[in-house]
Amino acid sequence: MTSWPELESQYFFATTKRLPVTLVRGEGTRVYDEKGREYLDFVAGIAAVSLGHCHPEVVRAVQEQAGTLMHVSNFYYSIPQVRLAQLLCENTCLDKVFFCNSGAEAVEGCIKLARKWGKEKRNGAYEIIVAENAFHGRTLATVAAAGAEKYRAPFTPLPEGFVRVPFNDIDAIREATSRRTAAVLLEPVQGEGGVNFPADGYLQAVRAWCDQAGILLMFDEVQSGMGRCGRLFAYQLFGVEPDVMAVAKGLGGGFPIGAFLAKDHCAVFAVGEHGTTFGGNPLACHVGFTVLKYMLDHDIPGQAAQRGRHLERRLRSLADRHPLVTEVRGAGLLWALELARESAEEGVALAIQEGLLINNVKPSALRLMPPLTVTEEEVDQAVEVLDRVLSRLEAGAVK
Ligand SMILES: *Cc1c(COP(=O)(O)O)cnc(C)c1O
């Protein structure tokens, strides 16, 4: 019989470098391959499986809604959509929402909203200031907004109007602002860029500058939001409210859904100016509602913060014992270990051998992002594996 990897390489675009594991089942923080081997999942579908694999309430929500009404056009009112919109707006600083299917679409919507707002409210301003090392998705416009050259170079010419500045440099934002500027777009915590936190006072200074200059502040909380950083949204960690915000990943608990939200003063789309076929369909929205409601009712962000403090202590003690680890950074349940050399890919491979899934977010950094429901015992188990992986990497370097 031909293997799944062979069939994949025959039929699939070679866009993704796969790891040698075929996953068939999941439960909580654990996933299983086709041979029944168990792995601790500290990738969680890239921070998407927020409540763990096959959480009973999420499974029930999918089953109930799939058997009731899966999809109707946005020509009609839909109850799950309105309920999720209300719950999101009541629990954020934003007033209006638009649902889509992914993070990239959510950020793309923010970009279009900023363009429309600039046209209407700021004499045709259209530029968006973005950050180096940012990641906003893979559509043409979100790729144009990305920090890394590797995401952009193969696809030029790209949509215009993005001005890139270093992250954590408020003066660079001030200097980049002109009559053409409509908005600043930032991840409050950069995820794909390597789990990079804003310097003390940076986001507050950006907020003050946006107010002074009369431009919008847009946060991409696709990765940092939905409890990941120990608050429902990372903006709450820093006490800085955005005018516009993109959400996705953790909102669906593994089911695809995205959303962007705006304050009333910049919710400028008129009838027919934006739309989607699948976005906001009853199935996705009922699942999103179930996930968000569960998070609020069970204080999952608070639990993530608590487990995160435990994980942090364990990671810092690893760093004390392993010279290969040069920095531990993160919050909630989004963490990175910076390594003294570019051995993250090797570390991921060794961890798989030991039954742990982690991610090489950079050549020199390992990222951990377990489900927010991870237990303390699972954290301890993962750290024990990491301990062995780091020892093996260090031994390898000696040879
Ligand atoms: C993952 C991610 C995206 C893109 O989301 P997709 O669902 O893959 O399109 C956008 N922004 C940030 C910050 C992300 O982490």
Side-chain angles (χ1 to χ4, degrees), residues 211-342:
D211 290 341
Q212 191 184 330
I215 58 179
L216 300 178
L217 177 56
M218 311 201 290
F219 279 169
D220 177 350
E221 291 241 25
V222 168
Q223 188 158 155
S224 59
M226 292 306 292
R228 181 55 48 186
C229 292
R231 296 292 301 268
L232 189 58
F233 290 98
Y235 78 78
Q236 297 165 320
L237 277 181
F238 308 105
V240 173
E241 294 190 356
D243 301 298
V244 179
M245 178 170 82
V247 187
K249 290 201 167 99
L251 176 59
F255 199 88
I257 183 169
F260 64 96
L261 299 96
K263 293 202 176 193
D264 274 327
H265 74 85
C266 55
V268 291
F269 281 141
V271 171
E273 286 181 344
H274 199 48
T276 166
T277 298
F278 283 124
N281 84 19
L283 181 52
C285 286
H286 183 61
V287 176
F289 179 87
T290 304
V291 170
L292 178 56
K293 188 80 172 60
Y294 187 93
M295 280 194 187
L296 294 167
D297 288 351
H298 297 82
D299 188 23
I300 296 297
Q303 188 182 312
Q306 194 194 335
R307 296 286 141 73
R309 283 189 289 275
H310 179 71
L311 177 58
E312 177 177 12
R313 276 194 299 277
R314 299 297 314 265
L315 292 177
R316 293 207 185 281
S317 96
L318 271 188
D320 288 343
R321 279 176 290 122
H322 290 282
L324 183 60
V325 179
T326 55
E327 194 191 357
V328 175
R329 55 177 183 265
L333 287 167
L334 182 62
W335 287 88
L337 294 181
E338 188 70 34
L339 307 178
R341 51 193 165 82
E342 301 201 336

Side-chain angles (χ1 to χ4, degrees), residues 103-182:
E105 264 180 277
V107 180
E108 185 90 20
C110 296
I111 293 167
K112 285 178 72 179
L113 188 69
R115 289 271 179 112
K116 174 77 200 302
W117 178 86
K119 220 176 258 310
E120 208 166 273
K121 310 259 184 170
R122 204 172 138 78
N123 299 315
Y126 62 92
E127 278 181 3
I128 299 177
I129 297 172
V130 294
E132 285 171 9
N133 291 317
F135 181 82
H136 297 295
R138 305 293 201 139
T139 62
L140 269 184
T142 55
V143 157
E149 175 73 14
K150 67 174 178 188
Y151 295 125
R152 300 195 304 270
F155 308 111
T156 53
L158 291 168
E160 291 170 33
F162 297 94
V163 179
R164 220 169 319 282
V165 298
F167 189 58
N168 275 336
D169 184 343
I170 180 62
D171 290 333
I173 289 183
R174 290 198 185 104
E175 279 158 33
T177 305
S178 74
R179 286 202 331 270
R180 295 184 300 278
T181 310

Side-chain angles (χ1 to χ4, degrees), residues 371-391:
L372 306 180
T373 49
V374 68
T375 65
E376 231 168 75
E377 293 71 41
E378 287 164 343
V379 166
D380 290 342
Q381 278 175 23
V383 171
E384 278 157 32
V385 172
L386 272 174
D387 199 357
R388 290 196 291 275
V389 166
L390 291 167
S391 296

